[in-house]
Amino acid sequence: MRVMEATAGQQLDTAVSAGLPMGLYRLQTVAEQPIHLPGFAGATLRGALGHALRELSCMTGMASCEGCPLLRSCRYPALFEPKALGTASPGHPTPPPPYILRSPVTRPHTLRPGAQFQFEMAVFGLSPADVELLVRAWQRALYKGLGTRRGRARLVSVQHYQGQRWNEVWQEAHSEWSPHLARLLQPAGVPDDLSTLTLRFMSPVRLQHRGRLCHPEQVTPPILLAALVRRLKLVAGAAMRPAPPTSDGLALSTEMRLYRWERQSSRQGRAIRLDGLVGDIHLTGDALKAWWPWLWLGQFTHLGKNVSHGLGQYQLVHGGEAGSPV
């Protein structure tokens, strides 16, 4: 067994993307009160971040971004709610939020006071000032509390992933950032004996075909890989290169099940269904070598619908035993 790790090598812009500054950060927190987290906690974390970011960024106090005279200069819509900017047009969809949350919590879990909890945030094309603003928002979000009972926590450190190491770039005790290059390094070359590859989904993936959610038996190589390419193009835009390879010659089998899941939207005041598939997708065929850079990068961008809630997170496994992609 070999887990497909993110090892030092050529930069992304020499393989799949030409100009996609992408940083991966690990946020280490400590609970100060009991925190009750639901399964697949990405949506809970995202909601807390959004409230805190709006409080830090909004200068008018308006109830909605719609009609705000400072909309274009405010960082909140650009970082959290790009749809509010109204930049979509035929053939040019609204860009997604420039971040992804990666949470290790897959089942309901309670953190006791003093317990440590970490999660990861991948950011795409953000300036150092934007990353620092997001971290300040995380400090505020944790202080205001997470989960249904608003258990308080604090942010103690931030690490940045580069090569095969996590390097600390921020500490609670100092509050100063260490200079670093927000660029993810992609493995050089292709792993040996890449005739089979497994995508192990750590959170539900919402794949759609003709506007309907796919069930396990409906997933095919074209549907899966089209969702991957679509996601990467949304993140990178015109920077994507080269053209994606063909899926001809690839065989696909699944060990997946439909996971029925919903999240509570405090803004909409209702539960929102986000059913998706969990489990493994196995790919076989010589074309895997051409798809390797795309599939590797997709671990950090996720794929499918509702990825900003932490859905569609997977890791690549070569052999059959799980492990971390980084």
Side-chain angles (χ1 to χ4, degrees):
M1 183 282 297
R2 282 181 299 154
V3 175
M4 302 294 95
E5 295 186 345
T7 56
Q10 65 192 75
Q11 292 186 353
L12 293 178
D13 58 3
T14 65
V16 172
S17 170
L20 175 59
M22 176 177 171
L24 183 62
Y25 296 89
R26 175 176 288 170
L27 290 83
Q28 185 73 46
T29 75
V30 174
E32 295 187 329
Q33 297 173 337
I35 300 176
H36 306 283
L37 293 175
F40 306 113
T44 297
L45 293 171
R46 179 183 181 273
L49 173 65
H51 285 295
L53 183 61
R54 198 174 198 282
E55 291 175 357
L56 287 177
S57 305
C58 181
M59 301 295 291
T60 65
M62 295 177 63
S64 170
C65 293
E66 185 177 355
C68 177
L70 301 180
L71 183 66
R72 301 296 171 184
S73 60
C74 180
R75 296 310 296 157
Y76 170 78
L79 295 176
F80 193 81
E81 199 175 343
K83 187 177 181 180
L85 295 172
T87 58
S89 62
H92 297 85
T94 299
Y99 69 90
I100 284 290
L101 300 178
R102 294 156 49 93
S103 169
V105 177
T106 59
R107 297 181 179 180
H109 182 66
T110 297
L111 298 172
R112 302 299 179 188
Q116 294 187 347
F117 170 65
Q118 66 183 26
F119 58 94
E120 295 167 8
M121 177 177 68
V123 301
F124 314 110
L126 295 186
S127 68
D130 282 335
V131 175
E132 291 183 30
L133 175 59
L134 286 172
V135 169
R136 291 202 304 273
W138 279 120
Q139 287 182 284
R140 187 179 185 90
L142 293 166
Y143 178 80
K144 291 175 69 70
L146 299 175
T148 55
R149 300 181 185 178
R150 299 295 179 189
R152 182 177 296 176
R154 74 178 198 274
L155 182 65
V156 295
S157 70
V158 178
Q159 297 174 317
H160 174 250
Y161 184 78
Q162 196 164 37
Q164 290 181 289
R165 298 189 305 274
W166 287 99
N167 301 311
E168 194 167 70
V169 294
W170 181 90
Q171 281 187 346
E172 180 186 34
H174 303 296
S175 295
E176 293 184 1
W177 280 83
S178 300
H180 61 280
L181 179 65
R183 175 80 65 172
L184 193 65
L185 299 181
Q186 186 174 21
V190 177
D192 296 332
D193 189 28
L194 191 62
S195 58
T196 62
L197 193 62
T198 294
L199 281 68
R200 181 151 297 167
F201 283 89
M202 314 305 294
S203 62
V205 57
R206 292 172 54 81
L207 295 172
Q208 289 189 333
H209 181 56
R210 296 179 179 175
R212 299 179 67 88
L213 184 69
C214 288
H215 287 253
E217 66 276 7
Q218 297 172 313
V219 180
T220 64
I223 290 175
L224 173 70
L225 298 174
L228 173 65
V229 171
R230 187 161 51 245
R231 173 62 187 159
L232 294 180
K233 286 186 174 180
L234 277 175
V235 169
M240 291 302 298
R241 70 170 191 182
T246 176
S247 60
D248 293 348
L250 283 180
L252 181 149
S253 62
T254 68
E255 295 179 77
M256 307 191 85
R257 61 183 177 87
L258 182 64
Y259 185 88
R260 300 194 179 279
W261 182 62
E262 64 181 26
R263 72 174 186 90
Q264 291 295 134
S265 173
S266 58
R267 185 174 62 177
Q268 299 184 38
R270 64 184 181 91
I272 299 176
R273 294 297 298 266
L274 292 174
D275 297 346
L277 304 179
V278 294
D280 293 353
I281 293 179
H282 308 291
L283 292 172
T284 305
D286 292 338
L288 280 176
K289 295 179 180 179
W291 278 102
W292 162 249
W294 301 76
L295 290 165
W296 185 89
L297 183 57
Q299 295 176 108
F300 307 99
T301 63
H302 299 197
L303 64 85
K305 303 281 288 184
N306 304 105
V307 294
S308 63
H309 297 286
L311 301 188
Q313 176 184 345
Y314 70 88
Q315 61 189 45
L316 296 179
V317 180
H318 189 203
E321 187 174 330
S324 171
V326 294

